[in-house]
């Protein structure tokens, strides 16, 4: 007869203790496969517990498959074997991720200054959303996002970007990276995707990680070279015509037309217009989107609120031309929307009540000011006369061409020793190019101004030492 | 000389009007490529506007590439052509999505009852998050999610599921569908993925949409058949061992061990344990996860809060065995986390303060009650004696085998005429099987109880008519 010591005062209930004891005996082989368990009544009397306790323990063992019942015969041990005691290999302990280096000043990170976020307004709208939407918040949004948000985005684009978009054309997703995935599924894995070289390396990384063919197309002073594109087999081209990263090039209308003509020539050619920071233009009116210029439904427009509101707000969207929209609904409409209801409704209010445009206006002023301060330090500080600045009209970075002979890698290595993280234009090329050396990409949005003079002194020192050290 | 009528009282500024007029002339060909524009001063005098107005208009045209500057020579029209006037094809108008049919009662939808959501608590925690986290909320979370949330999930799993998980092993994402994508990228597109047949069709749909090979493996009374799996080439198998959808089968320990042995035999074999509704078990203690039983690091565990808290909250997670974790960090660590900071911190508090477990306890009680009511109507209402119920111990659905000879498609068609949407077990099979007819999958979580008696009368009527109608 099974004999166990069950303790009433244990954290576990009696039935759980009994279940665990019998399970252990089955796994260890003490209770053998096919063996009959005592009846509930017998075991209960033997252990001096209630029949309910035994019944519950047997039922749990039954549910997990340790025992089985035969009608009117009772319970029998099932065929279960103790898994071989394989010691976990050394790497079973979780390696902690490498600690990120702490930088004195980081020119490479495009971090936003969180002080710029309209925190009070956002919190108020969130509370308002909770009050107004109440239970409605808990229903799943349609695959393309909450109607309220799509209407608000379409309204914003009409009013401030001159774009005519039906809210039905908008697909809301948790970040542009995710939307790239969806685009690959929409347009096809058999397609070849062209990206800009130089360019934002994450875009190519995502295509590569998705195992679709990627081709790198060079840019000239007017942006992506269409004649080079024609020498490739790519059907889809992923570009940022309004503000190329990191050169800051704005694609002129002539090149845009050339690119649209290229797309219109074959039925499966598309342009992905990644408009990630078109909002930060400091002179004149916004550059019209390529999407608006296209008359052949070949442009998919993408934008994100993570860059303009806050990185931890994961809301992006894409606008599909009507012909692709039908395909999207049919093939991908089964996917759930990836953004939570709360934030969709809050953002809808933020857009509708004009907070977004006011926020952008304030951000433009602040970033323009910050850009001017950073540029001033570069032009009039310790590097004076040894630096040339370009690409400062838009976006949250500019280029600083340094008068130095130090190769970029060496410059970065020496700067890192002083706690400075440098992003160089040459880093953004797929194929390293000698001719693109010596140009610093200054991502100024997150720079701490008080550290800048010291950082530039370090940089000037490194450039001054170059002749003595390059001989090593 | 360019002559335009500019209106001071226009909604557009003078410079915008001027920019638009010149742009139109360039696009229409009235101003030809290479033509020199008048100097700013001359045009300003001619149009009786300030030089600044002309300067701003020229600069915008310059930025967009309609004109270019030659040093000390002035501004010239660039090569721009008016794109051919292609009329948009008929489908350029956005087809509105088809309106979903309104059902009198929908047995197919697994909608949650929003009345069950702990709204007040969630709203309070959200406010608390806003107050406490403040600016910290706006920093981007690491690729695998906020540390606070991962620690809270690991704590919950330890306390309530007996799972020992390092928070570093957890990857947080905006929904399990998205995590399937990541798993495909992690394990490889060259792998073949096995799914359960019958099963939740969305899982296979996602693999197919990702263009990876999918194999359908049958289940028997112990769940996925490992002997059938061995006849396939699949390296990865996607299962719900704790509660199979839609049969409700719990995989017994013997079959689990068999499956784990299968996985351990080859280095690239993995099991994806989709534990989507393990929380809703109405008898006994929770079934231990396959992940906890595995000693060879071959199980990836997936779960979601969308099912237990609310569909519009898009937070899911997966637990990687340490060996896969390293690969994930290296190959996919560049992806941004897809869940917003606000909701991650709010959910962390919800878990830590014990609200989640209390919420689950209440939900279990309510759903058990609801299940009993729905089962009662089935067993004792108009279908009494013509229905057999199984799979009612767990999850938010059960099976009702109907005594009818009507083929499922016919039954569904007739029910639809009466406003009833029926999900049949046969719908969940990849290959239609004659032997699996006549079993209704009753997803009861969202059923409106007051409509049920009427709905079952309709169903009884249809079953009664069958002899007279099947002769058609």
């Amino acid at each position: 007869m099974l004999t166990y010591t069950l303790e009433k005062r244990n954290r576990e209930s009696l039935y759980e203790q009994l279940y665990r004891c019998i399970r252990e005996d089955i796994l260890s082989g003490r209770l053998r496969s096919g063996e009959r368990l005592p009846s509930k009544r017998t075991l209960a009397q033997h252990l001096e517990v209630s029949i309910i306790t035994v019944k519950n323990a047997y039922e749990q063992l039954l549910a997990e498959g340790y025992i089985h019942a035969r009608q009117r015969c009772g319970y029998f041990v099932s065929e279960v074997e103790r898994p071989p005691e394989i010691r976990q290999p050394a790497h079973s302990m979780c390696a902690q991720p490498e600690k990120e280096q702490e930088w004195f000043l980081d020119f490479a990170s495009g971090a936003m200054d969180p002080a710029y976020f309209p925190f009070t307004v956002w919190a108020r709208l969130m509370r308002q959303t909770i009050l107004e939407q109440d239970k409605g918040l808990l229903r799943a949004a349609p695959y393309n996002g909450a109607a309220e948000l799509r209407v608000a985005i379409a309204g914003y684009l009409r009013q401030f970007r001159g774009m005519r978009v039906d809210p039905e054309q908008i697909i809301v997703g948790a970040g542009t990276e995710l939307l790239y995935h969806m685009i690959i599924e929409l347009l096809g894995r058999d397609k070849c995707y062209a990206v800009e070289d130089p360019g934002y390396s994450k875009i190519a990384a995502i295509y590569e990680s998705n195992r679709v063919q990627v081709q790198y197309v060079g840019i000239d002073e007017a942006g992506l070279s269409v004649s080079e594109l024609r020498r490739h087999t790519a059907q889809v081209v992923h570009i940022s015509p309004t503000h190329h990263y990191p050169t800051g090039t704005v694609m002129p209308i002539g090149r845009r037309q050339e690119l649209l003509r290229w797309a219109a020539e074959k039925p499966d050619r598309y342009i992905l217009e990644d408009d990630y920071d078109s909002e930060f233009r400091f002179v004149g009116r916004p550059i019209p989107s390529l999407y608006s210029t296209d008359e052949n439904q070949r442009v998919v427009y993408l934008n994100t609120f993570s860059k303009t509101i806050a990185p931890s707000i994961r809301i992006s969207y894409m606008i599909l031309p009507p012909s692709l929209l039908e395909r999207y609904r049919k093939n991908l409409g089964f996917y759930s929307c990836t953004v939570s209801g709360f934030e969709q409704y809050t953002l809808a209010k933020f857009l509708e009540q004009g907070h977004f445009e006011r926020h952008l206006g304030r951000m433009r002023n602040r970033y323009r000011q910050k850009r001017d301060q950073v540029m001033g330090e570069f032009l009039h500080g310790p590097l004076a006369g040894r630096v040339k600045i370009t690409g400062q009209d838009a976006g949250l970075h500019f280029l600083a061409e340094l008068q130095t002979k130090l190769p970029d890698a060496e410059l970065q290595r020496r700067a890192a020793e002083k706690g400075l993280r440098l992003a160089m234009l040459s880093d953004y090329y797929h194929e390293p190019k000698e001719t693109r050396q010596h140009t610093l990409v200054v991502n100024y949005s997150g720079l701490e101004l008080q550290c800048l003079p010291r950082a530039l002194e370090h940089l000037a020192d490194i450039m001054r030492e170059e002749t003595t050290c390059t001989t090593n």
Side-chain angles (χ1 to χ4, degrees), chain A:
Chain A
M1 178 65 73
L2 305 175
T3 305
Y4 308 112
T5 318
L6 308 180
E7 290 171 34
K8 281 222 167 115
R9 298 169 148 258
N10 199 302
R11 201 172 52 91
E12 271 188 327
S13 67
L14 286 175
Y15 103 79
E16 281 181 312
Q17 293 176 55
L18 181 57
Y19 148 81
R20 217 178 277 282
C21 293
I22 301 178
R23 189 182 68 171
E24 197 42 50
D25 278 357
I26 293 174
L27 280 172
S28 72
R30 249 180 298 164
L31 277 170
R32 272 192 306 269
S33 159
E35 202 165 316
R36 187 170 174 277
L37 292 183
S39 78
K40 291 174 218 163
R41 178 175 305 268
T42 320
L43 186 56
Q45 280 172 350
H46 177 68
L47 297 178
E48 297 182 325
V49 296
S50 73
I51 294 187
I52 286 290
T53 298
V54 180
K55 179 174 171 285
N56 285 342
Y58 279 16
E59 276 179 0
Q60 188 66 33
L61 290 164
L62 202 60
E64 295 183 19
Y66 287 94
I67 62 174
H68 56 277
R70 281 191 222 143
Q71 221 161 7
R72 276 183 292 270
C73 285
Y75 295 96
F76 296 82
V77 175
S78 297
E79 201 161 325
V80 170
E81 48 183 279
R82 191 170 192 90
E85 289 268 349
I86 294 169
R87 280 299 100 221
Q88 306 228 344
H91 63 252
S92 79
M93 311 251 294
C94 276
Q96 294 299 307
E98 285 172 43
K99 269 246 180 292
E100 279 196 32
Q101 189 175 343
E102 291 277 341
W103 298 101
F104 173 68
L105 202 60
D106 184 351
F107 289 99
S109 139
M112 304 287 285
D113 192 330
Y116 294 176
F117 183 73
F119 213 82
T120 330
V121 174
W122 190 264
R124 177 162 54 75
L125 294 179
M126 215 153 195
R127 276 196 299 275
Q128 208 175 315
T129 300
I130 290 175
L131 288 174
E132 282 175 23
Q133 288 285 341
D134 199 67
K135 303 286 151 53
L137 270 175
L138 302 173
R139 274 179 229 118
Y143 74 97
N144 52 352
E148 286 84 340
L149 177 57
R150 288 181 287 110
V151 168
I153 291 173
Y156 169 77
L157 291 173
R158 189 178 55 245
Q159 206 177 343
F160 296 103
R161 297 296 314 268
M163 290 168 72
R164 280 167 48 202
V165 172
D166 185 320
E168 276 302 317
Q169 289 176 265
I170 297 176
I171 314 272
V172 172
T176 34
E177 298 174 12
L178 179 75
L179 295 175
Y180 301 163
H181 277 275
M182 302 311 279
I183 284 173
I184 294 170
E185 280 189 43
L186 179 68
L187 299 182
R189 303 195 165 275
D190 54 334
K191 300 291 179 298
C192 175
Y193 294 77
V195 297
E196 296 160 319
D197 186 26
Y200 187 51
S201 59
K202 216 171 187 181
I203 293 170
I206 289 171
Y207 288 116
E208 305 240 351
S209 185
N210 270 281
R211 297 284 181 273
V212 293
Q213 208 192 333
V214 182
Q215 291 172 342
Y216 294 82
V217 177
I219 64 164
D220 57 27
E221 71 294 337
L224 186 103
S225 159
V226 179
S227 52
E228 195 181 321
L229 176 63
R230 287 185 181 281
R231 289 198 295 273
H232 285 85
T233 55
Q235 295 98 338
V236 185
V237 55
H238 190 137
I239 55 168
S240 294
T242 303
H243 188 235
H244 174 261
Y245 190 86
T247 65
T249 308
V250 178
M251 188 180 277
I253 181 69
R255 181 63 60 87
R256 286 172 187 239
Q257 292 177 331
E258 198 186 343
L259 192 60
L260 290 171
R261 274 201 306 278
W262 167 86
E265 280 165 16
K266 299 243 174 106
D268 57 352
R269 283 187 178 166
Y270 287 96
I271 301 167
L272 310 179
E273 179 180 21
D274 204 334
D275 208 24
Y276 75 102
D277 76 349
S278 61
E279 291 81 3
F280 295 115
R281 186 159 177 80
F282 301 121
V283 292
R285 43 195 304 288
I287 305 286
S289 67
L290 191 60
Y291 176 87
S292 309
T293 316
D294 173 38
E295 301 194 331
N296 296 303
Q297 306 206 34
R298 296 316 183 85
V299 178
V300 174
Y301 176 94
L302 293 127
N303 208 335
T304 178
F305 293 100
S306 303
K307 199 84 188 170
T308 41
I309 301 184
S312 96
I313 286 176
R314 305 304 304 170
I315 312 184
S316 300
Y317 62 96
M318 61 180 166
I319 302 170
L320 296 176
S323 55
L324 280 182
L325 178 61
E326 285 179 24
R327 201 199 295 181
Y328 191 96
R329 265 190 210 140
K330 189 166 155 275
N331 297 344
L332 305 175
F334 73 92
Y335 279 110
S336 309
C337 181
T338 42
V339 184
S340 94
F342 283 95
E343 300 214 329
Q344 291 197 52
Y345 292 116
T346 304
L347 178 57
K349 285 187 209 303
F350 194 71
L351 287 163
E352 265 162 20
Q353 301 178 8
H355 298 296
F356 184 59
E357 190 49 32
R358 281 196 290 281
H359 166 64
L360 283 180
R362 272 194 303 271
M363 298 271 276
R364 273 184 219 113
N365 282 336
R366 284 168 176 178
Y367 281 128
R368 187 193 291 120
Q369 232 171 41
K370 186 153 188 183
R371 178 202 63 174
D372 291 345
Q373 287 167 319
V374 173
M375 272 173 56
E377 293 286 348
F378 266 88
L379 292 171
H380 309 301
L383 293 178
R386 308 183 64 187
V387 63
K388 195 185 134 195
I389 284 177
T390 53
Q392 71 273 39
D393 280 351
L396 303 179
H397 69 277
F398 57 79
L399 299 183
E401 203 178 316
L402 302 174
Q403 274 183 30
T404 175
K405 290 207 175 71
L406 277 181
D408 286 357
E410 181 61 19
L411 184 70
Q412 283 171 312
R413 197 189 59 73
R414 294 193 198 177
E417 282 173 6
K418 311 254 186 188
L420 305 181
R421 187 165 168 228
L422 303 187
M424 306 302 296
L425 181 56
S426 56
D427 297 339
Y428 295 89
Y429 279 88
H430 180 58
E431 300 286 343
K433 295 222 171 128
E434 277 309 307
T435 52
R436 296 293 183 158
Q437 293 276 307
H438 319 309
T439 301
L440 189 62
V441 181
V442 182
N443 296 281
Y444 62 79
S445 59
L447 283 188
E448 283 149 77
L449 280 174
Q450 70 278 16
C451 301
L452 190 57
R454 181 85 183 279
L456 294 182
E457 265 170 40
H458 285 318
L459 208 54
D461 287 345
I462 294 168
M463 285 165 65
R464 224 172 275 126
E465 287 165 13
E466 69 177 74
T467 42
T468 57
C469 299
T470 42
T471 50
N472 294 5

